[in-house]
mmCIF file of all heavy atoms in Angstrom:
data_model
loop_
_atom_site.group_PDB
_atom_site.id
_atom_site.type_symbol
_atom_site.label_atom_id
_atom_site.label_comp_id
_atom_site.label_asym_id
_atom_site.label_seq_id
_atom_site.Cartn_x
_atom_site.Cartn_y
_atom_site.Cartn_z
ATOM 1 N N ALA A 672 109.424 111.468 101.739
ATOM 2 C CA ALA A 672 108.075 111.189 101.250
ATOM 3 C C ALA A 672 107.656 109.776 101.631
ATOM 4 O O ALA A 672 106.515 109.535 102.026
ATOM 5 C CB ALA A 672 108.031 111.362 99.728
ATOM 6 N N ASN A 673 108.578 108.859 101.529
ATOM 7 C CA ASN A 673 108.302 107.459 101.874
ATOM 8 C C ASN A 673 109.457 106.907 102.701
ATOM 9 O O ASN A 673 110.321 106.200 102.181
ATOM 10 C CB ASN A 673 108.144 106.615 100.594
ATOM 11 C CG ASN A 673 106.922 106.999 99.804
ATOM 12 O OD1 ASN A 673 105.802 106.708 100.211
ATOM 13 N ND2 ASN A 673 107.134 107.668 98.689
ATOM 14 N N LEU A 676 111.001 103.493 102.384
ATOM 15 C CA LEU A 676 111.848 103.179 101.242
ATOM 16 C C LEU A 676 113.003 104.169 101.139
ATOM 17 O O LEU A 676 113.525 104.413 100.061
ATOM 18 C CB LEU A 676 111.016 103.234 99.949
ATOM 19 C CG LEU A 676 109.704 102.463 99.927
ATOM 20 C CD1 LEU A 676 108.954 102.724 98.614
ATOM 21 C CD2 LEU A 676 109.949 100.978 100.069
ATOM 22 N N ARG A 682 121.873 101.555 104.442
ATOM 23 C CA ARG A 682 122.188 102.756 103.671
ATOM 24 C C ARG A 682 122.805 103.824 104.574
ATOM 25 O O ARG A 682 123.593 104.654 104.119
ATOM 26 C CB ARG A 682 120.901 103.300 103.027
ATOM 27 C CG ARG A 682 120.374 102.350 101.968
ATOM 28 C CD ARG A 682 118.932 102.577 101.595
ATOM 29 N NE ARG A 682 118.452 101.451 100.810
ATOM 30 C CZ ARG A 682 117.227 101.309 100.365
ATOM 31 N NH1 ARG A 682 116.311 102.230 100.640
ATOM 32 N NH2 ARG A 682 116.889 100.241 99.670
ATOM 33 N N GLU A 726 127.267 95.848 97.933
ATOM 34 C CA GLU A 726 126.895 96.604 99.136
ATOM 35 C C GLU A 726 127.218 95.757 100.371
ATOM 36 O O GLU A 726 127.832 96.220 101.338
ATOM 37 C CB GLU A 726 125.392 96.897 99.059
ATOM 38 C CG GLU A 726 124.808 97.639 100.217
ATOM 39 C CD GLU A 726 123.282 97.655 100.112
ATOM 40 O OE1 GLU A 726 122.684 96.557 99.935
ATOM 41 O OE2 GLU A 726 122.686 98.739 100.179
ATOM 42 N N ARG A 761 114.679 92.468 96.147
ATOM 43 C CA ARG A 761 115.919 92.313 95.411
ATOM 44 C C ARG A 761 116.930 91.465 96.173
ATOM 45 O O ARG A 761 117.688 90.694 95.586
ATOM 46 C CB ARG A 761 116.527 93.688 95.104
ATOM 47 C CG ARG A 761 117.635 93.617 94.049
ATOM 48 C CD ARG A 761 118.180 95.006 93.763
ATOM 49 N NE ARG A 761 118.923 95.075 92.530
ATOM 50 C CZ ARG A 761 120.227 94.890 92.422
ATOM 51 N NH1 ARG A 761 120.926 94.582 93.495
ATOM 52 N NH2 ARG A 761 120.824 94.991 91.257
ATOM 53 N N LYS A 768 123.935 85.456 95.247
ATOM 54 C CA LYS A 768 125.140 86.281 95.212
ATOM 55 C C LYS A 768 125.464 86.862 96.583
ATOM 56 O O LYS A 768 126.624 86.936 96.978
ATOM 57 C CB LYS A 768 124.958 87.417 94.198
ATOM 58 C CG LYS A 768 124.944 86.884 92.766
ATOM 59 C CD LYS A 768 124.733 87.987 91.755
ATOM 60 C CE LYS A 768 124.714 87.394 90.347
ATOM 61 N NZ LYS A 768 124.251 88.370 89.358
ATOM 62 N N GLY A 789 103.823 95.933 98.211
ATOM 63 C CA GLY A 789 103.591 97.370 98.077
ATOM 64 C C GLY A 789 102.582 97.871 99.089
ATOM 65 O O GLY A 789 101.718 98.673 98.781
ATOM 66 N N SER A 791 102.141 99.499 102.873
ATOM 67 C CA SER A 791 102.703 100.103 104.071
ATOM 68 C C SER A 791 101.900 99.614 105.265
ATOM 69 O O SER A 791 100.692 99.803 105.334
ATOM 70 C CB SER A 791 102.610 101.621 103.960
ATOM 71 O OG SER A 791 102.776 102.210 105.222
ATOM 72 N N ASP A 794 99.844 102.209 106.974
ATOM 73 C CA ASP A 794 98.735 102.837 106.266
ATOM 74 C C ASP A 794 97.672 101.840 105.828
ATOM 75 O O ASP A 794 96.564 102.223 105.473
ATOM 76 C CB ASP A 794 99.263 103.548 105.007
ATOM 77 C CG ASP A 794 100.344 104.570 105.350
ATOM 78 O OD1 ASP A 794 100.106 105.342 106.294
ATOM 79 O OD2 ASP A 794 101.379 104.579 104.701
ATOM 80 N N TYR A 802 90.302 93.998 102.103
ATOM 81 C CA TYR A 802 90.986 92.932 101.357
ATOM 82 C C TYR A 802 90.887 91.588 102.074
ATOM 83 O O TYR A 802 91.045 90.544 101.468
ATOM 84 C CB TYR A 802 92.463 93.305 101.148
ATOM 85 C CG TYR A 802 92.695 94.053 99.861
ATOM 86 C CD1 TYR A 802 92.242 95.355 99.719
ATOM 87 C CD2 TYR A 802 93.329 93.451 98.782
ATOM 88 C CE1 TYR A 802 92.427 96.046 98.537
ATOM 89 C CE2 TYR A 802 93.515 94.135 97.594
ATOM 90 C CZ TYR A 802 93.066 95.426 97.481
ATOM 91 O OH TYR A 802 93.243 96.102 96.296
ATOM 92 N N ASP A 820 102.308 85.767 103.877
ATOM 93 C CA ASP A 820 101.743 85.574 102.534
ATOM 94 C C ASP A 820 102.595 84.508 101.838
ATOM 95 O O ASP A 820 103.561 84.809 101.144
ATOM 96 C CB ASP A 820 101.813 86.915 101.776
ATOM 97 C CG ASP A 820 101.611 86.737 100.277
ATOM 98 O OD1 ASP A 820 100.795 85.885 99.874
ATOM 99 O OD2 ASP A 820 102.290 87.455 99.513
ATOM 100 N N GLU A 822 102.006 82.495 99.428
ATOM 101 C CA GLU A 822 101.948 82.460 97.968
ATOM 102 C C GLU A 822 102.947 83.442 97.326
ATOM 103 O O GLU A 822 103.612 83.092 96.347
ATOM 104 C CB GLU A 822 100.516 82.845 97.560
ATOM 105 C CG GLU A 822 100.132 82.368 96.186
ATOM 106 C CD GLU A 822 98.716 82.824 95.840
ATOM 107 O OE1 GLU A 822 98.102 83.572 96.648
ATOM 108 O OE2 GLU A 822 98.227 82.440 94.769
ATOM 109 N N ALA B 672 101.822 107.535 106.007
ATOM 110 C CA ALA B 672 103.248 107.509 106.355
ATOM 111 C C ALA B 672 104.076 107.210 105.109
ATOM 112 O O ALA B 672 105.133 107.788 104.900
ATOM 113 C CB ALA B 672 103.511 106.462 107.429
ATOM 114 N N LEU B 676 103.167 103.199 99.250
ATOM 115 C CA LEU B 676 102.722 101.843 99.563
ATOM 116 C C LEU B 676 101.322 101.874 100.176
ATOM 117 O O LEU B 676 100.946 100.984 100.921
ATOM 118 C CB LEU B 676 103.692 101.193 100.561
ATOM 119 C CG LEU B 676 105.182 101.242 100.219
ATOM 120 C CD1 LEU B 676 106.008 100.675 101.368
ATOM 121 C CD2 LEU B 676 105.473 100.461 98.945
ATOM 122 N N ARG B 682 93.556 99.748 94.531
ATOM 123 C CA ARG B 682 92.972 99.698 95.874
ATOM 124 C C ARG B 682 91.853 100.731 96.012
ATOM 125 O O ARG B 682 90.918 100.547 96.791
ATOM 126 C CB ARG B 682 94.067 99.955 96.916
ATOM 127 C CG ARG B 682 95.096 98.845 96.923
ATOM 128 C CD ARG B 682 96.398 99.222 97.588
ATOM 129 N NE ARG B 682 97.386 98.183 97.317
ATOM 130 C CZ ARG B 682 98.650 98.230 97.695
ATOM 131 N NH1 ARG B 682 99.084 99.267 98.369
ATOM 132 N NH2 ARG B 682 99.462 97.244 97.390
ATOM 133 N N GLU B 726 91.899 89.776 93.249
ATOM 134 C CA GLU B 726 91.741 91.224 93.141
ATOM 135 C C GLU B 726 91.529 91.601 91.668
ATOM 136 O O GLU B 726 90.617 92.354 91.321
ATOM 137 C CB GLU B 726 93.012 91.869 93.690
ATOM 138 C CG GLU B 726 93.070 93.374 93.653
ATOM 139 C CD GLU B 726 94.490 93.850 93.978
ATOM 140 O OE1 GLU B 726 95.452 93.362 93.348
ATOM 141 O OE2 GLU B 726 94.631 94.691 94.880
ATOM 142 N N ARG B 761 104.948 91.200 94.026
ATOM 143 C CA ARG B 761 103.996 90.099 94.154
ATOM 144 C C ARG B 761 103.253 89.854 92.843
ATOM 145 O O ARG B 761 102.941 88.726 92.483
ATOM 146 C CB ARG B 761 102.997 90.389 95.271
ATOM 147 C CG ARG B 761 102.201 89.152 95.672
ATOM 148 C CD ARG B 761 101.242 89.482 96.810
ATOM 149 N NE ARG B 761 100.762 88.307 97.499
ATOM 150 C CZ ARG B 761 99.661 87.660 97.185
ATOM 151 N NH1 ARG B 761 98.943 88.048 96.153
ATOM 152 N NH2 ARG B 761 99.279 86.606 97.887
ATOM 153 N N LYS B 768 99.201 83.382 87.581
ATOM 154 C CA LYS B 768 97.808 83.361 88.033
ATOM 155 C C LYS B 768 97.053 84.601 87.560
ATOM 156 O O LYS B 768 95.897 84.513 87.153
ATOM 157 C CB LYS B 768 97.754 83.259 89.555
ATOM 158 C CG LYS B 768 98.224 81.894 90.047
ATOM 159 C CD LYS B 768 98.185 81.784 91.559
ATOM 160 C CE LYS B 768 98.690 80.406 91.976
ATOM 161 N NZ LYS B 768 98.951 80.348 93.419
ATOM 162 N N GLY B 789 113.223 98.588 97.354
ATOM 163 C CA GLY B 789 112.946 99.331 98.577
ATOM 164 C C GLY B 789 113.508 100.734 98.515
ATOM 165 O O GLY B 789 114.051 101.245 99.483
ATOM 166 N N SER B 791 112.634 104.666 97.494
ATOM 167 C CA SER B 791 111.686 105.698 97.099
ATOM 168 C C SER B 791 112.387 106.644 96.142
ATOM 169 O O SER B 791 113.414 107.214 96.468
ATOM 170 C CB SER B 791 111.233 106.466 98.342
ATOM 171 O OG SER B 791 110.627 107.677 97.980
ATOM 172 N N ASP B 794 113.000 110.077 97.432
ATOM 173 C CA ASP B 794 113.917 110.275 98.556
ATOM 174 C C ASP B 794 115.324 109.805 98.263
ATOM 175 O O ASP B 794 116.258 110.135 98.990
ATOM 176 C CB ASP B 794 113.398 109.509 99.783
ATOM 177 C CG ASP B 794 111.987 109.930 100.145
ATOM 178 O OD1 ASP B 794 111.744 111.146 100.192
ATOM 179 O OD2 ASP B 794 111.136 109.063 100.369
ATOM 180 N N TYR B 802 125.587 105.452 95.924
ATOM 181 C CA TYR B 802 125.487 104.074 95.449
ATOM 182 C C TYR B 802 125.938 103.947 93.999
ATOM 183 O O TYR B 802 126.299 102.874 93.554
ATOM 184 C CB TYR B 802 124.038 103.562 95.591
ATOM 185 C CG TYR B 802 123.784 102.902 96.923
ATOM 186 C CD1 TYR B 802 123.752 103.653 98.092
ATOM 187 C CD2 TYR B 802 123.610 101.526 97.024
ATOM 188 C CE1 TYR B 802 123.550 103.060 99.319
ATOM 189 C CE2 TYR B 802 123.404 100.923 98.249
ATOM 190 C CZ TYR B 802 123.371 101.686 99.391
ATOM 191 O OH TYR B 802 123.180 101.086 100.616
ATOM 192 N N ASP B 820 117.277 98.026 86.371
ATOM 193 C CA ASP B 820 118.110 97.112 87.159
ATOM 194 C C ASP B 820 117.850 95.704 86.624
ATOM 195 O O ASP B 820 116.988 94.976 87.101
ATOM 196 C CB ASP B 820 117.705 97.217 88.637
ATOM 197 C CG ASP B 820 118.224 96.057 89.457
ATOM 198 O OD1 ASP B 820 119.358 95.617 89.206
ATOM 199 O OD2 ASP B 820 117.484 95.597 90.353
ATOM 200 N N GLU B 822 119.551 92.996 86.687
ATOM 201 C CA GLU B 822 119.879 91.891 87.572
ATOM 202 C C GLU B 822 118.733 91.558 88.541
ATOM 203 O O GLU B 822 118.420 90.397 88.753
ATOM 204 C CB GLU B 822 121.124 92.304 88.377
ATOM 205 C CG GLU B 822 121.902 91.140 88.938
ATOM 206 C CD GLU B 822 123.106 91.641 89.743
ATOM 207 O OE1 GLU B 822 123.271 92.869 89.894
ATOM 208 O OE2 GLU B 822 123.871 90.788 90.215
#
Side-chain angles (χ1 to χ4, degrees):
Chain A
N673 293 288
L676 310 175
R682 293 162 192 178
E726 179 189 51
R761 194 179 197 269
K768 290 179 181 169
S791 163
D794 303 313
Y802 269 71
D820 164 37
E822 202 182 4
Chain B
L676 309 175
R682 294 162 191 176
E726 179 191 51
R761 194 179 198 268
K768 291 180 181 168
S791 164
D794 304 313
Y802 270 70
D820 164 38
E822 202 181 3

